[in-house]
Amino acid sequence: MRFTSEQRLDDGVLEREFTLGEIPGILWTPASASASAPAPLILVSPPPLGLRKMYPRLAGRARYYAAEYGFAAATIELPGSGERPRWAAAEQARADLRRVMEAGEPVGDEIVDALILPLVDRAVPEWQAALDALLSLPGIGGPVGYEGGVISIGVRLAVVEPRIVAAGFFAGSLVPAAMFEEARQVTVPLQVLLQWDDEGNDRQSALDLFDAFGSKEKTLHANLGGHTGVPHFELDAGARFFARHLK
């Protein structure tokens, strides 16, 4: 891990950009973090739209967690997003998805599989490598939480990564059928956020996935409104969820 920039923000949070190999990322740490008092870590996964585009939303959540609750938070660029190299199969899957959605046709399983499964296979090992590097830094320690992003990435991580002890997911309907079986293996506490009128997601698919999770503690927060209408109070609800399990 190589840090490429550093700035102390007006709320006392330290924001550092880094690269892990060729993967860009950002780390936010609270002013209280030290080697003798390491901060619990939350992995904040972005949508596959690029860190620069999603920075205001990601930084807003991360800075709130750091300044108000004393968590460290980190994000990395997903494969094929932002300034990272594209790969032909993913670009074709995105084009196929746009085509059927513009035509008002149902999105078939083959498109969902082609779009999501290769992304999960690439992203999860990268998140694990980032976790290795982040936990080796002074001032950052476990336990670790995960939130956001492509829900299938979170499902896989929650299954294979024992250092993650709690997860907050943003419900989405582009979930391969194979991920439902993996969801049954998830046992960590979950908080799932669903926008009831999300124009881009199928509500029933999101509810079916929530039902499939094997966790004994799982909570669904469903709010009226579209994809971008998440109520502001859900930010504090997410922070309090992590506070119960990471501190």
Side-chain angles (χ1 to χ4, degrees), residues 34-241:
S34 66
S36 60
L41 176 64
I42 300 175
L43 305 178
V44 182
S45 182
L49 300 174
L51 286 186
R52 295 303 171 194
K53 182 175 182 179
M54 299 306 300
Y55 173 84
R57 192 166 83 182
L58 295 168
R61 298 186 71 87
R63 291 177 63 176
Y64 183 78
Y65 292 156
E68 299 298 327
Y69 284 84
F71 295 125
T75 189
I76 59 173
E77 189 82 85
L78 293 182
S81 300
E83 300 174 0
R84 297 191 62 185
R86 302 298 190 263
W87 75 90
E91 291 297 293
Q92 183 61 55
R94 290 191 183 102
D96 291 341
L97 177 65
R98 287 193 297 269
R99 174 179 53 79
V100 299
M101 293 186 71
E102 289 171 359
E105 300 172 359
V107 180
D109 291 344
E110 68 282 356
I111 294 178
V112 174
D113 288 355
L115 181 67
I116 302 298
L117 291 178
L119 177 61
V120 173
D121 289 342
R122 293 190 183 205
V124 167
E126 292 182 353
W127 269 117
Q128 291 181 295
L131 188 52
D132 291 340
L134 290 163
L135 290 178
S136 71
L137 297 172
I140 298 178
V144 179
Y146 171 92
E147 77 158 20
V150 178
I151 194 169
S152 293
I153 295 175
V155 170
R156 175 73 58 81
L157 263 175
V159 172
V160 304
E161 181 48 72
R163 291 172 291 185
I164 293 176
V165 302
F169 293 152
F170 300 155
S173 60
L174 294 179
V175 180
M179 298 307 301
F180 281 75
E181 184 57 38
E182 293 194 35
R184 295 182 178 92
Q185 303 173 50
V186 174
T187 59
V188 299
L190 296 179
Q191 185 163 288
V192 181
L193 181 60
L194 170 64
Q195 285 301 103
W196 201 248
D197 307 301
D198 192 333
E199 60 280 3
N201 290 319
D202 179 77
R203 182 192 304 163
Q204 190 58 53
S205 177
L207 294 173
D208 290 344
L209 182 62
F210 179 80
D211 189 51
F213 286 124
S215 302
K216 292 182 178 180
E217 179 190 332
K218 55 180 180 180
T219 304
L220 179 67
H221 285 209
N223 295 286
L224 296 177
H227 188 73
T228 59
V230 179
H232 183 72
F233 61 73
E234 289 292 358
L235 177 60
D236 186 59
R240 287 186 282 109
F241 166 76

